[in-house]
Amino acid sequence: MVERARLRQLVATLRQQSVPALLVTHLPDVRYLTGFTGSNAALVVLAGERTSARLFTDGRYTAQARREVQGATVRIAPKSALAEACVYAAERTAMCGFDRTQTTVASLANMRSTARKGGAASGFFKPVDGAVSALREVKDAVEIERMRGAAALTCGFYEGLLGWMEAGMRERDIAAELEHRARLAGADGMSFETIVASGERGSQPHARATDAVIQRGDLLTLDFGIVLDGYCSDMTRTIAFGFEGGPVPRKLQARWAEQRAIFDAVLAAQEAAVAAVHPGATCGAVDAAARSLLTAAGWGKFFSHSTGHGVGIEIHEAPRVAKDQKHLLRHGEVITIEPGVYVPSRCGVRIEDTVLVTADGAEVLTPVHKGWLEL
Ligand code: ZN
Ligand code: ZN
């Protein structure tokens, strides 16, 4: 099973760093390493002379753990799974790594006092950040297949939605219909809260759907994604609500023209950034490909976020595709490319694809129409 290979890879990295054991509590990491999808788990990976992995969960998950867990033994903890995991580690190793970025202050205090009861010396827990998230950056064949599936399903119900949407609807109606269609198409859920932003609300990059009614002459930004087989999709499209082939009313002409100019600049930036994706490219270079075009077009100061992010089991994961990021893209990484321009109290445009880094370039996993579209 693929989980065993992932655990072996983790053991190899831990050994390189002379870390004899790792406590994994971040659930997406636990899922990645063992296949377990329950909501309570602590995994101890021993990487010394004898390697092993033991997953601690509670009685609600007895059957599920037996069915799902690969490559690790399972212990159903009558009290706290985390506490048992700490004692287990303390009894078997002199030092144990943990991910500081996924551990609360309260939880660390708990871990320390429990491990002391198991005989651990002070300093038993040592921060080893991102060991699993670094492995998760490069997707294996199984993951790529799942991400393709999630992306294809997303494109499918989005296309269906285009034939249904029209001016006069509320943002809320569109969010509800989109999520309803996603579920009917087979999605396990949405990967984040659907963003539906029309007109001047489009200038807020993360606007939630409201009662605002879509008017002719508005742009509409839809940013949404689903979870399928444990993997997330992420896509943004901006569409225009036009005048059904008729003339643009005089009082809207300037606004309409400005929106089109912004849209064209964002589309060019998005395509340039996708074209810049290849193994060996830095994330900073991909960001610069988008940012430099928007700056040249005069919209740079309205591009207020980074160009993209890794996506996989989580909607936001490593790497960050942002200014000056030195991370080198590798074959098998999946990132988003999503430049946007947000002009306060006027409008906003964002276009986002999920992109797989291939052996010699990039493959867009969300290849549904992204050019100017008037409904
Ligand atoms: Zn998105
Ligand atoms: Zn995104």
Side-chain angles (χ1 to χ4, degrees), residues 192 195 223-224 234-236 309 315 336 338 350 352:
F192 58 93
I195 292 167
D223 186 352
F224 57 100
D234 191 4
M235 183 169 107
T236 306
H309 54 86
I315 185 64
T336 68
E338 51 178 305
R350 178 165 67 256
E352 174 182 31

Side-chain angles (χ1 to χ4, degrees), residues 113-176:
S113 74
T114 314
R116 263 198 300 277
K117 283 180 208 147
S122 65
F124 173 72
F125 282 113
K126 184 187 164 208
V128 176
D129 297 340
V132 186
S133 69
L135 292 182
R136 282 172 46 196
E137 287 172 358
V138 175
K139 274 64 181 172
D140 57 38
V142 172
E143 296 184 288
I144 289 170
E145 210 41 53
R146 290 182 177 182
M147 296 206 67
R148 270 187 212 291
L153 189 141
T154 305
C155 291
F157 71 74
Y158 167 73
E159 282 192 307
L161 193 76
L162 290 176
W164 170 85
M165 264 190 296
E166 56 189 33
M169 290 174 170
R170 297 173 307 167
E171 293 171 348
R172 188 184 301 286
D173 301 325
I174 291 171

Side-chain angles (χ1 to χ4, degrees), residues 20-101:
L22 185 70
L23 172 67
V24 183
T25 53
H26 184 48
L27 292 172
D29 288 346
V30 172
R31 176 180 191 145
Y32 176 76
L33 293 170
T34 67
F36 182 62
T37 63
S39 68
N40 177 26
L43 177 72
V44 177
V45 178
L46 297 177
E49 265 171 45
R50 288 180 55 198
T51 65
S52 67
R54 190 161 177 77
L55 180 122
F56 298 79
T57 183
D58 65 67
R60 294 171 297 166
Y61 294 113
T62 308
Q64 185 179 328
R66 192 177 301 135
R67 195 171 65 242
E68 291 180 340
V69 175
Q70 300 286 334
T73 57
V74 174
R75 161 77 187 161
I76 304 297
K79 286 185 186 158
S80 158
L82 179 62
E84 276 211 30
C86 292
V87 171
Y88 176 84
E91 287 171 353
R92 281 162 184 81
T93 174
M95 185 262 272
C96 183
F98 74 102
D99 194 332
R100 216 171 12 181
T101 65

Side-chain angles (χ1 to χ4, degrees), residues 2 15 20 42 58 60 181 205 213 251 262 280 303 338 370:
V2 65
R15 283 182 174 169
D58 65 67
R60 294 171 297 166
R181 286 175 185 244
V213 174
K251 68 179 191 341
I262 294 171
F303 176 20
E338 51 178 305
K370 63 183 170 188

Side-chain angles (χ1 to χ4, degrees), residues 6-14 22 24 33 45 131-132 135:
R6 295 175 189 162
L7 275 163
R8 272 200 301 275
Q9 254 189 306
L10 176 63
V11 165
T13 15
L14 293 176
L22 185 70
V24 183
L33 293 170
V45 178
V132 186
L135 292 182

